Amino acid sequence: MGLLTDLNKEVEQILKEQWKTREGQVVPESEDLKLSNDAVILEGTVLYADLSGSTYLVDNYKQHFAAEIYKAYLHCAAKIIRSEGGVITAYDGDRVMAVYIGNTKNTSAVRTALKINYSVQYIIPPAMKKVYPDEKYTVSQVVGIDTSNLFIARTGIRGSNDLVWVGRAANHAAKLTSLSATYSTYITKEVYDVMLDSVKTSNGRSMWEIVRWSEMDNKTIYRSNFWWTIE
């Protein structure tokens, strides 16, 4: 069978096959789903943590230094995500995606973002100064968070496949990380409205500024530069 014939057959099969779906109680892994039209549906909060200015970093610094910054940032982000109950679902170059479920998923995701900001302010720079005392590079990053119903399916081919996360939260959380790194965290109104007050205010002061997301039909979002101290 030639490649063209094979592609025509498989695409038609994908489009014609009925979906088998089930409600999820945990964040699935690839092995939990079939390559056929098989899906898990769950309510989840998606977090993307993205190292900003990575193109400038790789274009203007030595490769080993850029790699060390990538590794330091992603290591901190991943450890914090897991400590807050998030499940890491993908790494993509200079960013990591995580999913949170449960009754306090939005609060946990937001606290994760604030702690990642703490690591960028108070963990990575001092360590960098010890090893590279003359280096002026400043680590910059953005975390985006949204919550919605998610439709999770397995995509790819046998021997090379992964999960695809279909739903507003996955798309919007990723898009939020493209906003200005002047602010470290962006969340949607859907997240803000249900998260606990512990991640809304600090000493009676709001940690968030409400703004309009012009690229997305002026959707209401919130942004912050606050951090959460890591003990």
Side-chain angles (χ1 to χ4, degrees):
M1 181 185 297
L3 178 59
L4 178 60
T5 301
D6 177 63
L7 294 177
N8 283 330
K9 177 183 176 182
E10 292 297 331
V11 169
E12 184 175 345
Q13 176 66 19
I14 290 169
L15 296 174
K16 290 172 60 177
E17 184 178 355
Q18 293 296 309
W19 281 91
K20 296 179 181 179
T21 63
R22 59 191 182 277
E23 296 293 327
Q25 303 300 318
V26 298
V27 177
E29 297 183 4
S30 291
E31 297 74 19
D32 298 327
L33 290 159
K34 300 176 182 178
L35 271 172
S36 56
N37 286 0
D38 182 33
V40 167
I41 298 174
L42 56 76
E43 289 292 326
T45 296
V46 178
L47 174 149
Y48 268 91
D50 190 356
L51 185 66
S52 301
S54 56
T55 300
Y56 176 83
L57 175 62
V58 299
D59 284 349
N60 292 277
Y61 291 86
K62 293 181 179 179
Q63 290 180 329
H64 72 270
F65 178 78
E68 289 163 11
I69 296 301
Y70 273 48
K71 285 169 63 68
Y73 174 70
L74 292 174
H75 180 85
C76 288
K79 286 279 191 172
I80 294 166
I81 287 166
R82 286 190 172 174
S83 75
E84 288 291 340
V87 177
I88 296 168
T89 56
Y91 289 97
D92 181 12
D94 59 355
R95 68 180 180 173
V96 58
M97 172 187 171
V99 175
Y100 299 73
I101 61 175
N103 294 334
T104 59
K105 56 185 177 292
N106 297 285
T107 299
S108 296
V110 171
R111 193 164 50 236
T112 297
L114 300 178
K115 286 184 176 181
I116 292 174
N117 189 33
Y118 178 89
S119 75
V120 169
Q121 301 292 331
Y122 296 107
I123 297 176
I124 299 175
M128 188 176 69
K129 278 298 180 184
K130 285 182 181 179
V131 181
Y132 301 100
D134 299 323
E135 182 52 63
K136 304 300 183 184
Y137 176 77
T138 301
V139 181
S140 178
Q141 58 93 39
V142 175
V143 174
I145 304 172
D146 191 18
T147 189
S148 75
N149 180 272
L150 296 168
F151 186 95
I152 307 126
R154 193 173 180 181
T155 185
I157 60 176
R158 196 169 303 280
S160 180
N161 54 77
D162 203 351
L163 296 181
V164 60
W165 299 78
V166 181
R168 190 199 66 227
N171 184 264
H172 285 198
K175 287 184 180 297
L176 285 169
T177 64
S178 66
L179 297 177
S180 172
T182 303
Y183 290 85
S184 61
T185 307
Y186 293 86
I187 64 175
T188 61
K189 184 177 185 296
E190 289 79 6
V191 171
Y192 182 87
D193 285 348
V194 296
M195 68 191 196
L196 298 179
D197 289 343
S198 60
V199 291
K200 285 185 177 180
T201 61
S202 175
N203 296 321
R205 176 187 172 193
S206 175
M207 293 192 285
W208 301 91
E209 177 184 359
I210 185 171
V211 292
R212 294 292 181 177
W213 193 2
S214 60
E215 296 89 345
M216 297 295 290
D217 297 323
N218 286 321
K219 177 182 174 69
T220 297
I221 58 173
Y222 293 79
R223 63 190 184 187
S224 176
N225 268 326
F226 275 74
W227 58 77
W228 190 287
T229 302
I230 299 173
E231 302 294 341

